[in-house]
Amino acid sequence: MPHEDLIRSYLEAWNSHDPERVASYFAKDGVRHWEVVLPPMIGGPTRFRGHSEIAAGVRAFMDAVPDMRVEVDDLIETDSGAVLEWRVLATHTGAWGDWRGQGEKVDLPGVSIYRIADGAIVEERMHFDPDMMARNWAPGLGALMGVGVKMWKRGRATKRERAAAPPG
């Protein structure tokens, strides 16, 4: 199967809202990377290996945006895989880690780079702009500010902020 056909079929799996079907397009030890994301906000890993981890990560996202659909802006086949420019359109109604859905409309563009071997996705590296995500999901910005407070409380504040804070 040509790489382009495999990726188009993979996107149909996303639009079917079936995480196990999405994961089935990956090689047994395939990897899906979220290259740009706000890990403290969504919690959990940004790298998923194997069908069960990939399906769990996909399920968490689909639960947060159950009406989601993925559209293709551009798809380029390469010798070793494909490059996909995509757009997720949805309504954020469920929780995604610490980010609670408030009915925000989602229009999130991104790019995925795929390595393909033996008719399966060996690796997907997904890139998107977290600032674009925050701007699109404006009502969720309160959650982003809460993340900053949590990080400070965990000791990730700057040296100046730690020095100025009262002891204890």
Side-chain angles (χ1 to χ4, degrees):
M1 171 184 297
H3 299 323
E4 181 176 343
D5 292 346
L6 176 73
I7 297 305
R8 287 192 187 281
S9 184
Y10 171 67
L11 293 178
E12 288 173 17
W14 271 94
N15 288 329
S16 77
H17 297 227
D18 182 346
E20 284 75 22
R21 184 174 164 207
V22 170
S24 75
Y25 281 84
F26 284 81
K28 184 179 177 181
D29 61 346
V31 178
R32 186 163 193 264
H33 299 270
W34 294 60
E35 292 296 337
V36 181
V37 74
L38 303 171
M41 181 178 59
I42 65 164
T46 57
R47 180 175 174 231
F48 304 90
R49 180 180 294 281
H51 290 183
S52 62
E53 283 185 17
I54 291 169
V58 169
R59 182 176 296 104
F61 184 71
M62 287 182 175
D63 287 349
V65 289
D67 66 342
M68 68 156 289
R69 72 179 188 279
V70 181
E71 294 184 350
V72 175
D73 288 340
D74 198 10
L75 177 57
I76 300 166
E77 188 168 337
T78 68
D79 290 340
S80 61
V83 177
L84 173 68
E85 194 175 343
W86 48 261
R87 179 174 303 277
V88 170
L89 301 168
T91 308
H92 183 204
T93 57
W96 191 30
D98 291 340
W99 206 350
R100 304 290 179 233
Q102 300 176 39
E104 310 96 318
K105 293 295 180 192
V106 175
D107 182 352
L108 180 64
V111 173
S112 287
I113 301 166
Y114 301 93
R115 279 190 317 112
I116 297 170
D118 300 323
I121 300 169
V122 174
E123 179 179 45
E124 176 184 6
R125 291 190 174 273
M126 183 182 59
H127 302 266
F128 62 88
D129 181 352
D131 184 55
M132 177 68 80
M133 183 170 59
R135 280 185 278 136
N136 278 322
W137 296 350
L141 286 177
L144 286 174
M145 292 191 297
V147 167
V149 171
K150 285 180 188 176
M151 289 175 73
W152 187 85
K153 287 180 179 176
R154 290 181 186 157
R156 293 188 176 120
T158 65
K159 287 180 184 178
R160 192 167 100 187
E161 289 168 321
R162 284 194 301 266

